[in-house]
């Protein structure tokens, strides 16, 4: 069970395929907001945000990004800073990539159902690397590690392309 949990955590961190939308109501005279998640999850990265009815914008750690009547900055592990003028009637809608915490006993069921093969291959790679056991086999460990690596990459690409197939246009992120 421990190896399955470690494999699921590794998959969620590296592929950033487990996504959540979080709504943060803005308040007057408050500039720092915590991203509230269920107790068994933690923030890996901020993918996008929208504020005050604006469209989605990309976001990265430490940089300020303009939004309606202000700007937003993300600080790891779970803080957003908002600077702006005027009344704060709107809210920030933030899409975050999350991963289970290290002591979590749960993982999102849709995440596991979609990516269970990668989780199982990662766990098998760890198990086959255990020396002084009857099942120790470095060749099988390497085989399952490579399968897991490919599946992690595929899950990350699936997140980036949002399931689109065929030709699509890649856009770089603009950092202000």
């Amino acid at each position: 069970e421990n190896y399955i949990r470690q494999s699921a955590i590794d998959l969620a961190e590296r592929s950033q395929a487990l996504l959540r939308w979080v709504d943060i109501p803005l308040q007057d005279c408050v500039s720092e907001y915590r991203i509230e998640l269920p107790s068994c999850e933690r923030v890996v990265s901020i993918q996008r945000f929208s504020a005050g009815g604006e469209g989605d914008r990309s976001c990265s750690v430490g940089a300020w990004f303009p939004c309606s009547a202000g700007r937003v900055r993300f600080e790891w592990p779970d803080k957003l800073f908002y600077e702006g003028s005027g009344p704060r009637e709107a809210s920030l809608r933030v899409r975050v990539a999350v991963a289970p915490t290290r002591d979590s006993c749960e993982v999102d069921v849709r995440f596991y159902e979609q990516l269970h093969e990668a989780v199982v291959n990662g766990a098998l790679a760890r198990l086959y690397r255990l020396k002084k056991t009857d099942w120790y086999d470095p060749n099988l460990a390497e085989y399952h590690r490579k399968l897991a690596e490919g599946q992690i990459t595929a899950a990350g690409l699936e997140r980036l392309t949002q399931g689109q197939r065929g030709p699509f246009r890649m856009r770089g992120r603009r950092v202000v």
Side-chain angles (χ1 to χ4, degrees):
E1 291 174 356
N2 186 43
Y3 292 119
I4 289 174
R5 185 181 77 243
Q6 288 176 352
S7 181
I9 291 168
D10 188 42
L11 173 63
E13 285 177 349
R14 293 179 53 205
S15 71
Q16 298 183 15
L18 184 53
L19 301 171
R20 300 273 185 257
W21 280 104
V22 179
D23 290 316
I24 302 171
L26 298 176
Q27 302 170 14
D28 287 333
C29 303
V30 177
S31 62
E32 182 178 325
Y33 299 91
R34 230 178 127 243
I35 299 170
E36 300 287 335
L37 294 170
S39 61
C40 61
E41 293 180 342
R42 61 188 168 79
V43 176
V44 174
S45 70
I46 298 290
Q47 298 293 312
R48 305 190 76 69
F49 74 90
S50 63
E54 285 187 356
D56 288 344
R57 293 178 182 243
S58 297
C59 188
S60 60
V61 176
W64 286 99
F65 293 89
C67 66
S68 61
R71 57 190 190 152
V72 175
R73 178 175 55 113
F74 170 67
E75 287 295 326
W76 196 82
D78 61 358
K79 290 183 186 170
L80 277 178
F81 293 90
Y82 177 83
E83 285 185 356
S85 59
R88 297 185 183 180
E89 300 162 357
S91 65
L92 288 174
R93 185 168 167 86
V94 183
R95 187 170 77 177
V96 294
V98 298
T101 57
R102 294 286 171 196
D103 59 349
S104 175
C105 294
E106 300 175 355
V107 69
D108 185 81
V109 69
R110 287 179 295 153
F111 175 75
Y112 184 76
E113 285 176 355
Q114 291 172 355
L115 302 168
H116 72 279
E117 288 181 26
V119 173
V120 169
N121 281 321
L124 287 173
R126 286 176 168 83
L127 283 170
Y128 285 132
R129 275 188 262 146
L130 291 174
K131 293 184 179 181
K132 298 182 182 178
T133 60
D134 294 338
W135 58 83
Y136 172 71
D137 190 340
N139 293 331
L140 271 177
E142 184 62 19
Y143 171 75
H144 284 286
R145 186 192 67 77
K146 285 181 180 179
L147 284 177
E149 292 288 328
Q151 291 161 336
I152 288 170
T153 301
L157 285 172
E158 183 77 16
R159 175 187 55 85
L160 287 172
T161 61
Q162 298 175 353
Q164 273 187 305
R165 298 292 182 251
F168 59 91
R169 188 173 172 173
M170 298 293 290
R171 290 177 280 152
R173 287 187 178 180
R174 181 175 171 234
V175 178
V176 178

